[in-house]
Amino acid sequence: HHDDRGDGVLVIVPPSTPTSTVAVALHAHLAAGLRRHNRQASAATHIQLRAALEVGPVVSDPEGVSGNAIIRAARLLDSPVLRRQLAENEAADLGFIVSPYVYDAMADEFGHGAAVDYRQVRFKLKESRMTAWMRLAGANDLSTYARALALGVGTERKSTL
């Protein structure tokens, strides 16, 4: 499922797709695409992007999709610490934040090498106190995509993301 939200996109991935594969491939492909764009872009057209990944049940009905996982993903995306870190780091192209479940899935599947650049953050947003793992990727950061390729992630079926 793919839902255009105006200034963002909500993508629902089938539960049969491994969480760790989605996390590593999504981060690697977004970082590489932004790096390519921003290397050639003027300051006025430089893009910084926030992305969040959460896992959980989603219900679909005629009105669209809903579920606590979508709410948690939106809160991750709006994290004050993620916004602040991106604002303070002009060299960052991508701020990627994931739930503890997603982080653990990456570490379990690929070892801690896949999650080494993430740092744990805690924040409060609305009525939620949240713990998450985040990292920034920038113009000089080639490690993410290279690491994903070394793990064999994201080299097949690119159209699924």
Side-chain angles (χ1 to χ4, degrees):
H1 176 85
H2 178 251
D3 192 8
D4 184 345
R5 299 283 172 111
D7 65 347
V9 176
L10 172 66
V11 178
I12 308 294
V13 179
S16 59
T17 306
T19 300
S20 54
T21 301
V22 173
V24 173
L26 178 64
H27 182 265
H29 288 290
L30 284 175
L34 285 166
R35 186 172 46 249
R36 266 191 312 276
H37 169 80
N38 287 339
R39 257 197 328 242
Q40 301 170 7
S42 69
T45 59
H46 185 268
I47 297 172
Q48 275 192 323
L49 182 71
R50 289 176 291 126
L53 185 60
E54 173 60 301
V55 174
V58 174
V59 176
S60 182
D61 61 29
E63 299 297 317
V65 292
S66 62
N68 286 332
I70 294 172
I71 294 167
R72 287 190 309 270
R75 297 222 169 109
L76 290 172
L77 195 62
D78 282 340
S79 160
V81 66
L82 179 62
R83 287 179 176 275
R84 184 175 55 251
Q85 289 295 311
L86 273 174
E88 292 173 357
N89 188 342
E90 291 180 13
D93 301 321
L94 174 66
F96 194 60
I97 189 164
V98 300
S99 68
Y101 178 88
V102 173
Y103 178 85
D104 289 344
M106 286 188 297
D108 288 349
E109 177 77 16
F110 299 115
H112 287 282
V116 70
D117 296 322
Y118 286 78
R119 69 181 183 95
Q120 188 178 47
V121 295
R122 288 178 169 51
F123 61 94
K124 182 178 179 187
L125 187 66
K126 298 187 179 183
E127 67 278 356
S128 300
R129 291 186 185 277
M130 299 187 74
T131 300
W133 292 85
M134 66 165 275
R135 76 175 301 258
L136 302 180
N140 299 323
D141 180 19
L142 299 176
S143 63
T144 300
Y145 194 65
R147 188 176 301 123
L149 291 176
L151 293 168
V153 175
T155 56
E156 71 289 326
R157 294 181 29 172
K158 292 180 187 178
S159 62
T160 60
L161 297 179

